[in-house]
Amino acid sequence: KDAGRNRFEFFSEQLNAESRRKIGLERDLRRAFHERELEVHYQPQFDIASGEVEGAEALLRWTHPTDGPISPGEFIPLAEESGLIVDIGAWVIEQVCEDLRKILDRGMHPGSVSINVSACQLRDAGFHNSVMDPIRRFDIHPPYIQLEVTETAVAQNRDTANSLLNSLRQDGIRVAIDDFGTGYSSLSYLQQMPFDVIKVDKSFVDKIGGGATSDNICRTVIRMAQEMGKKSIAEGVETREQLEFLEANGCDVAQGWYFSKALGKDEFFAFVEQQDQHTQRRKALEIL
């Protein structure tokens, strides 16, 4: 089926092995979720103009007890296919709110935290409550939470998804379009989507400096965000050349290995504290 319709494929031992691994991983993923073995890591996002922490993206991580770290590119699709992503997604939101509360109670301000949302979650009748309940319980100011959705995820159930996202935005939640320009983008459709941020996809950032066409795509996405009064975030920034290009073209925020890898909770707390102290020292010097 993956190879396409109206064709046949010969059986191979590789297919059998892949099938066994998929079934085994799905079983282990359910066990890992129920036994709280999944972790939320945070990749900091930086304001390009000031160099200060602007926020972070929450990223799900899983270390299998025997196979070691499993790529999100492998286990997230399994969670979506099995429907487990709805429960996992609700847990991620809960965990982010709990971690934010701890950071805020220390007097630090990490900016908004982005949480990836799947098409399954946007179809779930309880999704609005799964977002707002922990926000109210942990007393989090709603703009501290930013939901990242892809055009494809919204397009699968457009009217319901747009209504849901509009409702959450009215409650103060921010919405970012992830993977922009990598799917079936439509400018007329973009006008209908409720969002606050456009993310410049890593596949575009990787090609900065690779030629006029590659550079123009990045430049166009950033300019589009500016013209629409939205913020732009570039992901996957790994070189000084990429950062300088983004800064020269007015991109607002950047994240990637050039600044920091995704950090475990304790590492992220220490990172935010260090950045907060640096900002306070800088402001004190400016006053002097």
Side-chain angles (χ1 to χ4, degrees):
K1 286 184 179 180
D2 287 342
R5 302 178 67 178
N6 298 321
R7 58 183 291 149
F8 60 86
E9 296 285 331
F10 289 102
F11 170 81
S12 72
E13 185 57 37
Q14 180 184 351
L15 290 174
N16 197 29
E18 289 174 355
S19 179
R20 284 199 303 268
R21 176 173 172 80
K22 184 176 179 179
I23 293 170
L25 278 182
E26 182 179 327
R27 179 197 61 231
D28 292 347
L29 180 58
R30 288 186 179 276
R31 179 196 55 77
F33 171 65
H34 290 297
E35 295 184 11
R36 295 294 185 260
E37 293 178 0
L38 302 178
E39 295 180 320
V40 177
H41 286 201
Y42 298 91
Q43 184 168 44
Q45 298 171 332
F46 290 80
D47 182 284
I48 293 178
S50 67
E52 296 179 0
V53 174
E54 173 76 9
E57 180 178 359
L59 299 166
L60 195 60
R61 295 290 184 261
W62 177 28
T63 301
H64 192 278
T66 56
D67 295 349
I70 307 296
S71 167
E74 185 173 17
F75 75 80
I76 293 296
L78 285 179
E80 291 176 340
E81 290 173 16
S82 64
L84 186 60
I85 194 66
V86 173
D87 290 336
I88 290 178
W91 173 79
V92 170
I93 296 169
E94 177 93 13
Q95 188 65 54
V96 167
C97 288
E98 182 179 339
D99 292 345
L100 265 174
R101 184 71 267 159
K102 292 176 181 177
I103 293 175
L104 294 169
D105 285 346
R106 297 183 186 183
M108 299 179 290
H109 301 280
S112 62
V113 176
S114 296
I115 302 172
N116 292 283
V117 176
S118 74
C120 294
Q121 290 170 276
L122 293 177
R123 291 193 296 267
D124 180 51
F127 182 65
H128 188 281
N129 288 335
S130 72
V131 175
M132 296 308 301
D133 283 354
I135 285 176
R136 296 186 182 110
R137 198 171 347 108
F138 289 100
D139 193 23
I140 303 297
H141 190 44
Y144 272 115
I145 299 297
Q146 178 170 283
L147 302 179
E148 289 193 11
V149 299
T150 65
E151 295 170 282
T152 304
V154 175
Q156 290 181 23
N157 196 16
R158 184 170 64 182
D159 292 340
T160 301
N162 281 343
S163 175
L164 176 58
L165 294 174
N166 267 318
S167 176
L168 287 165
R169 287 182 78 219
Q170 289 172 6
D171 286 333
I173 304 299
R174 302 171 72 216
V175 176
I177 297 180
D178 196 12
D179 297 342
F180 178 75
T182 61
Y184 300 99
S185 302
S186 165
L187 294 181
S188 61
Y189 176 48
L190 187 63
Q191 287 182 305
Q192 302 169 24
M193 282 186 67
F195 70 98
D196 307 279
V197 175
I198 292 178
K199 294 199 76 174
V200 184
D201 191 72
K202 184 181 185 301
S203 62
F204 299 142
V205 174
D206 284 344
K207 296 175 183 176
I208 288 175
T213 301
S214 302
D215 291 354
N216 282 336
I217 290 175
C218 274
R219 193 178 289 114
T220 299
V221 175
I222 295 168
R223 181 66 179 273
M224 184 183 301
Q226 293 169 341
E227 293 293 333
M228 298 180 72
K230 311 296 184 181
K231 181 173 285 190
S232 56
I233 299 179
E235 57 184 0
V237 179
E238 297 180 353
T239 69
R240 182 69 192 177
E241 178 187 17
Q242 292 169 347
L243 179 60
E244 289 175 348
F245 175 91
L246 294 166
E247 183 175 19
N249 285 281
C251 187
D252 299 301
V253 179
Q255 69 180 89
W257 279 67
Y258 180 81
F259 299 99
S260 172
K261 65 176 183 178
L263 305 171
K265 179 175 67 175
D266 293 338
E267 287 181 291
F268 181 64
F269 285 6
F271 182 87
V272 172
E273 184 174 20
Q274 183 182 37
Q275 293 294 314
D276 203 55
Q277 291 172 353
H278 173 75
T279 299
Q280 291 178 13
R281 285 196 298 269
R282 183 182 59 77
K283 288 181 178 178
L285 290 172
E286 288 176 354
I287 294 174
L288 295 174

